Amino acid sequence: MAAPYVAGVAGLVLAQNPALTVTQLKAAILNNVDPIGPLTGVLLTGGRLNAFKAVSSVATPPTPTTLTITPQTAVRATGTALTLSVAVAPGRTHGRLPTPE
């Protein structure tokens, strides 16, 4: 009856990092068990499935986004609802960020 649990954890791991290969997914699950002494040599991993450890092992930290604005630059990012317009005049700077839709 372990198969449904392992399949569920596989889904959680892939939701965290959909770019994983099958080999990486398998390693994330098998290498992040809770070791149980009496299970050593009896089971492949010698431990109990740990969803939290498996998901945490593939978690990628968010990539920081850097935005550099130079004079007379307008930025519009599709899919992120970000529009930034900046106008620069001698001695004056103003910008506008629209409210989210």
Side-chain angles (χ1 to χ4, degrees), residues 79-100:
T80 60
L82 170 68
T83 302
L84 176 62
S85 299
V86 177
V88 178
R92 235 179 74 185
T93 302
H94 66 278
R96 179 178 62 88
L97 288 173
T99 57

Side-chain angles (χ1 to χ4, degrees), residues 5-56:
Y5 295 104
V6 175
V9 171
L12 291 171
V13 170
L14 285 174
Q16 182 67 32
N17 188 343
L20 292 176
T21 65
V22 172
T23 303
Q24 292 169 324
L25 173 61
K26 181 179 176 182
I29 294 171
L30 296 179
N31 295 335
N32 290 290
V33 299
D34 293 329
I36 309 270
L39 298 179
T40 303
V42 177
L43 299 177
L44 174 69
T45 63
R48 166 183 59 209
L49 178 66
N50 186 316
F52 179 75
K53 282 184 182 178
V55 171
S56 297

Side-chain angles (χ1 to χ4, degrees), residues 54-65:
V55 171
S56 297
S57 75
V58 299
T60 54
T63 305
T65 303

